[in-house]
Amino acid sequence: MKSTTKRHQDITEVLDKPFTIRVDGKPIPAVEGESVLSALLASNIRHFMTNDYGTNSGPYCGMGVCHCCLLHVNGRFKQRACQTLVKPDMEIETNRNQVLERGKKHG
Ligand code: FES
């Protein structure tokens, strides 16, 4: 599958052969061994999470602590982008929230 998004944020040249993952149906390049967060940031995708209050945000800590990078990955909600390694043909959906989709709201 040919990627339609170019990586913009790599500090050094990517030497490994990239493959694609799909983000909201759109293919983006990824490299084996990197996190989903790394692939998203390299393609300039930054605000991709909707929290339980409906607020849109993006990653904060980058090390698995803040839970500000939750995504819907391969049919599973609340997967941390910074702690999930990319795999070929991975399906990712941004701004999906299990609590909001089930109609349960806080407060
Ligand atoms: S960016 Fe903080 S948990 Fe992923």
Side-chain angles (χ1 to χ4, degrees), residues 65-81:
V65 177
C66 71
H67 291 218
C68 291
C69 62
L70 302 179
L71 290 167
H72 190 258
V73 178
N74 289 340
R76 297 185 68 198
F77 282 99
K78 298 199 172 193
Q79 303 300 301
R80 288 173 295 177

Side-chain angles (χ1 to χ4, degrees), residues 11 21 24 42 56 66 78 80-82 84-86 88 94 100 106:
I11 296 170
I21 59 176
D24 296 331
N56 185 261
C66 71
K78 298 199 172 193
R80 288 173 295 177
C82 67
T84 305
L85 296 179
V86 293
T94 64
L100 298 177
H106 291 280

Side-chain angles (χ1 to χ4, degrees), residues 5-107:
T5 304
K6 188 174 181 180
R7 292 176 70 108
H8 297 281
Q9 304 294 325
D10 289 320
I11 296 170
T12 61
E13 181 183 355
V14 175
L15 300 176
D16 292 331
K17 188 173 183 234
F19 53 84
T20 58
I21 59 176
R22 295 186 74 79
V23 178
D24 296 331
K26 181 178 176 184
I28 69 164
V31 181
E32 185 174 339
E34 74 175 341
S35 67
V36 170
L37 177 60
S38 174
L40 293 175
L41 294 178
S43 293
N44 230 2
I45 300 171
R46 299 182 178 281
H47 292 94
F48 51 76
M49 182 189 124
T50 300
N51 68 18
D52 293 351
Y53 300 94
T55 302
N56 185 261
S57 69
Y60 181 69
C61 72
M63 60 183 190
V65 177
C66 71
H67 291 218
C68 291
C69 62
L70 302 179
L71 290 167
H72 190 258
V73 178
N74 289 340
R76 297 185 68 198
F77 282 99
K78 298 199 172 193
Q79 303 300 301
R80 288 173 295 177
C82 67
Q83 300 298 301
T84 305
L85 296 179
V86 293
K87 294 186 176 127
D89 301 323
M90 193 174 238
E91 293 281 342
I92 296 168
E93 292 178 272
T94 64
N95 294 305
R96 288 198 59 190
N97 182 293
Q98 187 176 24
V99 172
L100 298 177
E101 289 182 21
R102 289 184 178 175
K104 298 175 185 169
K105 293 185 179 172
H106 291 280

